[in-house]
Amino acid sequence: MNLVVIDGQGGKMGKAIIEELKREFPEQEILAIGTNSIATSTMLKAGADYGATGENPTIKAAKTADVIFGPVGIVIADSLYGEVTSPMAQAVGSSFAYKILLPVNRCGHFIVGVKELPLSEYVKLSVQHLKEKFLLQSCFKN
């Protein structure tokens, strides 16, 4: 399964997602895409197997991903304080990948009906969802 984690700013959310994924699925390869080099570096230090930075890697990864993790802003142009370009949001939004988006009510958008939880809880819920959705289909390398 081709797992892609996309994050920006300092990569804190991406780092947490990768750490949890590696804890649950240590053999699974993960590609980290940062909207900036700091985010990419942070996610690589967290255990991502590969990393790349910027618009073109985001577009390319969205074409081949089976699952994309990240903040909801990765499908909203100009989000993450302008780090997500229109082509990036378009590529992620139109990707055939299954998207697991963590709600973050910042950077000019608000998701109605979402319970405010700590990031660590959203990360655990997102990885649990992946397990429930895909592990039953035997998609993981183990």
Side-chain angles (χ1 to χ4, degrees), residues 1-3 21-22 24-30 66-67 69 100 126-142:
M1 173 171 288
N2 187 1
L3 292 182
L21 286 168
K22 285 295 186 177
E24 291 288 331
F25 312 106
E27 300 300 317
Q28 181 63 46
E29 290 185 347
I30 300 170
D66 293 312
V67 178
F69 277 89
I100 300 177
S126 69
V127 173
Q128 183 61 38
H129 178 77
L130 178 73
K131 284 173 67 174
E132 291 169 4
K133 177 77 177 169
F134 289 97
L135 196 57
L136 297 174
Q137 298 173 16
S138 301
C139 293
F140 281 98
K141 292 191 282 182
N142 277 341

Short mmCIF file of all heavy atoms in Angstrom, two decimals, residues 1-3 21-22 24-30 66-67 69 100 126-142:
data_model
loop_
_atom_site.label_atom_id
_atom_site.label_comp_id
_atom_site.label_asym_id
_atom_site.label_seq_id
_atom_site.Cartn_x
_atom_site.Cartn_y
_atom_site.Cartn_z
N MET A 1 0.85 -1.17 0.00
CA MET A 1 0.00 0.00 0.00
C MET A 1 0.90 1.23 0.00
O MET A 1 1.85 1.30 0.74
CB MET A 1 -0.91 -0.01 1.23
CG MET A 1 -1.70 1.26 1.37
SD MET A 1 -2.95 1.20 2.62
CE MET A 1 -4.11 0.13 1.82
N ASN A 2 0.57 2.18 -0.82
CA ASN A 2 1.35 3.41 -0.94
C ASN A 2 0.75 4.48 -0.03
O ASN A 2 -0.25 5.10 -0.38
CB ASN A 2 1.36 3.85 -2.40
CG ASN A 2 2.29 5.02 -2.66
OD1 ASN A 2 2.96 5.51 -1.76
ND2 ASN A 2 2.32 5.46 -3.90
N LEU A 3 1.38 4.69 1.15
CA LEU A 3 0.91 5.68 2.11
C LEU A 3 1.69 6.97 1.94
O LEU A 3 2.92 6.96 1.92
CB LEU A 3 1.09 5.19 3.55
CG LEU A 3 0.25 4.02 4.01
CD1 LEU A 3 0.55 3.71 5.47
CD2 LEU A 3 -1.22 4.31 3.83
N LEU A 21 1.71 5.66 12.71
CA LEU A 21 1.67 4.65 11.65
C LEU A 21 2.81 3.65 11.82
O LEU A 21 2.61 2.44 11.68
CB LEU A 21 1.76 5.31 10.27
CG LEU A 21 0.51 6.01 9.78
CD1 LEU A 21 0.82 6.85 8.54
CD2 LEU A 21 -0.60 5.01 9.49
N LYS A 22 3.99 4.14 12.12
CA LYS A 22 5.15 3.25 12.30
C LYS A 22 5.00 2.38 13.54
O LYS A 22 5.46 1.24 13.57
CB LYS A 22 6.45 4.06 12.36
CG LYS A 22 6.91 4.58 11.02
CD LYS A 22 7.26 3.43 10.09
CE LYS A 22 7.85 3.91 8.79
NZ LYS A 22 8.25 2.78 7.93
N GLU A 24 2.09 1.24 14.65
CA GLU A 24 1.08 0.23 14.31
C GLU A 24 1.52 -0.69 13.17
O GLU A 24 1.15 -1.85 13.15
CB GLU A 24 -0.24 0.92 13.92
CG GLU A 24 -0.94 1.59 15.07
CD GLU A 24 -1.57 0.60 16.03
OE1 GLU A 24 -1.97 -0.51 15.62
OE2 GLU A 24 -1.66 0.94 17.22
N PHE A 25 2.25 -0.13 12.20
CA PHE A 25 2.65 -0.88 11.00
C PHE A 25 4.13 -0.63 10.72
O PHE A 25 4.47 0.08 9.77
CB PHE A 25 1.81 -0.43 9.80
CG PHE A 25 0.34 -0.37 10.08
CD1 PHE A 25 -0.30 0.85 10.23
CD2 PHE A 25 -0.41 -1.53 10.19
CE1 PHE A 25 -1.66 0.92 10.50
CE2 PHE A 25 -1.77 -1.46 10.45
CZ PHE A 25 -2.39 -0.24 10.60
N PRO A 26 5.03 -1.21 11.50
CA PRO A 26 6.46 -0.89 11.39
C PRO A 26 7.08 -1.21 10.03
O PRO A 26 8.05 -0.56 9.64
CB PRO A 26 7.11 -1.71 12.50
CG PRO A 26 6.09 -2.68 12.96
CD PRO A 26 4.76 -2.17 12.56
N GLU A 27 6.55 -2.16 9.30
CA GLU A 27 7.13 -2.53 8.01
C GLU A 27 6.59 -1.71 6.84
O GLU A 27 7.12 -1.77 5.73
CB GLU A 27 6.89 -4.02 7.74
CG GLU A 27 7.50 -4.93 8.78
CD GLU A 27 9.01 -4.77 8.89
OE1 GLU A 27 9.67 -4.69 7.85
OE2 GLU A 27 9.51 -4.70 10.02
N GLN A 28 5.53 -0.96 7.09
CA GLN A 28 4.89 -0.19 6.01
C GLN A 28 5.73 1.01 5.61
O GLN A 28 6.13 1.80 6.46
CB GLN A 28 3.50 0.28 6.46
CG GLN A 28 2.74 1.06 5.43
CD GLN A 28 2.42 0.26 4.19
OE1 GLN A 28 1.96 -0.88 4.27
NE2 GLN A 28 2.67 0.82 3.03
N GLU A 29 6.01 1.16 4.33
CA GLU A 29 6.75 2.32 3.84
C GLU A 29 5.83 3.54 3.79
O GLU A 29 4.65 3.43 3.44
CB GLU A 29 7.33 2.05 2.46
CG GLU A 29 8.45 1.04 2.49
CD GLU A 29 9.11 0.87 1.13
OE1 GLU A 29 8.57 1.33 0.11
OE2 GLU A 29 10.20 0.27 1.11
N ILE A 30 6.41 4.69 4.12
CA ILE A 30 5.66 5.94 4.14
C ILE A 30 6.43 7.01 3.41
O ILE A 30 7.63 7.21 3.65
CB ILE A 30 5.40 6.40 5.59
CG1 ILE A 30 4.60 5.35 6.36
CG2 ILE A 30 4.68 7.75 5.62
CD1 ILE A 30 4.51 5.61 7.85
N ASP A 66 -2.20 5.37 -2.45
CA ASP A 66 -3.40 4.61 -2.12
C ASP A 66 -4.16 5.30 -1.00
O ASP A 66 -5.38 5.31 -0.96
CB ASP A 66 -3.03 3.20 -1.67
CG ASP A 66 -2.43 2.38 -2.79
OD1 ASP A 66 -3.00 2.37 -3.90
OD2 ASP A 66 -1.37 1.76 -2.57
N VAL A 67 -3.39 5.88 -0.05
CA VAL A 67 -3.97 6.62 1.07
C VAL A 67 -3.15 7.88 1.28
O VAL A 67 -1.91 7.83 1.26
CB VAL A 67 -3.96 5.79 2.38
CG1 VAL A 67 -4.52 6.59 3.54
CG2 VAL A 67 -4.75 4.50 2.20
N PHE A 69 -2.72 11.00 4.03
CA PHE A 69 -3.01 11.57 5.34
C PHE A 69 -2.59 13.02 5.34
O PHE A 69 -1.58 13.37 4.71
CB PHE A 69 -2.15 10.89 6.42
CG PHE A 69 -2.67 9.61 6.96
CD1 PHE A 69 -2.35 8.41 6.35
CD2 PHE A 69 -3.46 9.59 8.10
CE1 PHE A 69 -2.79 7.22 6.87
CE2 PHE A 69 -3.91 8.39 8.62
CZ PHE A 69 -3.57 7.20 8.00
N ILE A 100 -7.48 10.60 4.37
CA ILE A 100 -7.79 10.68 5.79
C ILE A 100 -7.30 12.05 6.23
O ILE A 100 -6.10 12.28 6.36
CB ILE A 100 -7.14 9.54 6.59
CG1 ILE A 100 -7.65 8.19 6.07
CG2 ILE A 100 -7.42 9.72 8.07
CD1 ILE A 100 -7.04 6.98 6.74
N SER A 126 -7.28 8.66 13.34
CA SER A 126 -7.02 8.51 11.91
C SER A 126 -6.35 7.18 11.60
O SER A 126 -6.71 6.51 10.64
CB SER A 126 -6.19 9.68 11.38
OG SER A 126 -4.88 9.65 11.89
N VAL A 127 -5.38 6.77 12.42
CA VAL A 127 -4.70 5.49 12.20
C VAL A 127 -5.65 4.33 12.49
O VAL A 127 -5.67 3.33 11.76
CB VAL A 127 -3.40 5.40 13.02
CG1 VAL A 127 -2.79 4.01 12.93
CG2 VAL A 127 -2.41 6.46 12.53
N GLN A 128 -6.49 4.46 13.50
CA GLN A 128 -7.49 3.44 13.78
C GLN A 128 -8.45 3.29 12.60
O GLN A 128 -8.82 2.18 12.22
CB GLN A 128 -8.28 3.80 15.05
CG GLN A 128 -9.30 2.75 15.45
CD GLN A 128 -8.68 1.40 15.75
OE1 GLN A 128 -7.61 1.30 16.33
NE2 GLN A 128 -9.34 0.34 15.34
N HIS A 129 -8.83 4.40 12.00
CA HIS A 129 -9.71 4.35 10.83
C HIS A 129 -9.03 3.60 9.69
O HIS A 129 -9.66 2.79 9.01
CB HIS A 129 -10.11 5.76 10.39
CG HIS A 129 -10.96 5.77 9.17
ND1 HIS A 129 -12.30 5.45 9.20
CD2 HIS A 129 -10.66 6.03 7.87
CE1 HIS A 129 -12.79 5.52 7.98
NE2 HIS A 129 -11.81 5.86 7.15
N LEU A 130 -7.75 3.87 9.48
CA LEU A 130 -7.00 3.18 8.43
C LEU A 130 -7.02 1.67 8.69
O LEU A 130 -7.25 0.88 7.78
CB LEU A 130 -5.56 3.69 8.38
CG LEU A 130 -4.66 3.01 7.35
CD1 LEU A 130 -5.04 3.45 5.95
CD2 LEU A 130 -3.21 3.30 7.64
N LYS A 131 -6.78 1.28 9.92
CA LYS A 131 -6.79 -0.14 10.27
C LYS A 131 -8.15 -0.77 9.96
O LYS A 131 -8.23 -1.83 9.35
CB LYS A 131 -6.46 -0.33 11.75
CG LYS A 131 -5.01 -0.15 12.08
CD LYS A 131 -4.74 -0.16 13.56
CE LYS A 131 -5.00 -1.49 14.18
NZ LYS A 131 -4.60 -1.53 15.61
N GLU A 132 -9.21 -0.10 10.39
CA GLU A 132 -10.54 -0.64 10.18
C GLU A 132 -10.91 -0.70 8.70
O GLU A 132 -11.53 -1.65 8.24
CB GLU A 132 -11.56 0.20 10.94
CG GLU A 132 -11.45 0.07 12.43
CD GLU A 132 -12.27 1.09 13.19
OE1 GLU A 132 -13.01 1.89 12.56
OE2 GLU A 132 -12.18 1.11 14.44
N LYS A 133 -10.53 0.31 7.96
CA LYS A 133 -10.90 0.41 6.55
C LYS A 133 -10.10 -0.56 5.67
O LYS A 133 -10.65 -1.19 4.80
CB LYS A 133 -10.69 1.85 6.07
CG LYS A 133 -10.96 2.09 4.62
CD LYS A 133 -12.43 2.16 4.35
CE LYS A 133 -12.66 2.48 2.88
NZ LYS A 133 -14.03 2.33 2.50
N PHE A 134 -8.80 -0.64 5.90
CA PHE A 134 -7.93 -1.35 4.97
C PHE A 134 -7.36 -2.66 5.49
O PHE A 134 -7.09 -3.55 4.69
CB PHE A 134 -6.79 -0.45 4.53
CG PHE A 134 -7.24 0.65 3.63
CD1 PHE A 134 -7.50 1.90 4.13
CD2 PHE A 134 -7.47 0.42 2.28
CE1 PHE A 134 -7.94 2.91 3.31
CE2 PHE A 134 -7.92 1.41 1.46
CZ PHE A 134 -8.16 2.67 1.97
N LEU A 135 -7.17 -2.81 6.76
CA LEU A 135 -6.58 -4.04 7.27
C LEU A 135 -7.47 -5.23 6.98
O LEU A 135 -7.01 -6.32 6.67
CB LEU A 135 -6.29 -3.93 8.77
CG LEU A 135 -5.33 -4.99 9.30
CD1 LEU A 135 -4.01 -4.96 8.57
CD2 LEU A 135 -5.10 -4.78 10.78
N LEU A 136 -8.75 -4.99 7.02
CA LEU A 136 -9.70 -6.05 6.71
C LEU A 136 -9.58 -6.50 5.26
O LEU A 136 -9.93 -7.62 4.92
CB LEU A 136 -11.13 -5.58 6.99
CG LEU A 136 -11.43 -5.22 8.45
CD1 LEU A 136 -12.83 -4.64 8.57
CD2 LEU A 136 -11.28 -6.44 9.34
N GLN A 137 -9.06 -5.63 4.40
CA GLN A 137 -8.91 -5.96 2.99
C GLN A 137 -7.52 -6.55 2.71
O GLN A 137 -7.17 -6.78 1.57
CB GLN A 137 -9.11 -4.70 2.15
CG GLN A 137 -10.48 -4.11 2.28
CD GLN A 137 -10.61 -2.79 1.56
OE1 GLN A 137 -9.79 -2.43 0.73
NE2 GLN A 137 -11.64 -2.04 1.88
N SER A 138 -6.70 -6.74 3.74
CA SER A 138 -5.36 -7.31 3.61
C SER A 138 -4.49 -6.53 2.62
O SER A 138 -3.82 -7.11 1.79
CB SER A 138 -5.44 -8.78 3.20
OG SER A 138 -6.16 -9.51 4.15
N CYS A 139 -4.53 -5.22 2.70
CA CYS A 139 -3.76 -4.38 1.79
C CYS A 139 -2.35 -4.09 2.29
O CYS A 139 -1.53 -3.60 1.54
CB CYS A 139 -4.48 -3.03 1.59
SG CYS A 139 -6.04 -3.20 0.72
N PHE A 140 -2.09 -4.35 3.56
CA PHE A 140 -0.80 -3.95 4.13
C PHE A 140 0.28 -4.97 3.88
O PHE A 140 0.02 -6.17 3.85
CB PHE A 140 -0.93 -3.73 5.64
CG PHE A 140 -1.53 -2.43 5.98
CD1 PHE A 140 -2.86 -2.33 6.28
CD2 PHE A 140 -0.75 -1.28 6.00
CE1 PHE A 140 -3.43 -1.12 6.60
CE2 PHE A 140 -1.31 -0.08 6.32
CZ PHE A 140 -2.64 0.01 6.62
N LYS A 141 1.50 -4.44 3.74
CA LYS A 141 2.68 -5.31 3.71
C LYS A 141 3.00 -5.63 5.16
O LYS A 141 3.19 -4.75 5.96
CB LYS A 141 3.88 -4.58 3.09
CG LYS A 141 3.75 -4.30 1.64
CD LYS A 141 5.06 -3.83 1.09
CE LYS A 141 5.35 -2.39 1.42
NZ LYS A 141 6.58 -1.87 0.87
N ASN A 142 3.06 -6.85 5.52
CA ASN A 142 3.47 -7.27 6.89
C ASN A 142 4.24 -8.54 6.81
O ASN A 142 4.10 -9.36 6.02
CB ASN A 142 2.27 -7.44 7.80
CG ASN A 142 1.82 -6.11 8.39
OD1 ASN A 142 2.57 -5.16 8.41
ND2 ASN A 142 0.60 -6.08 8.85
#
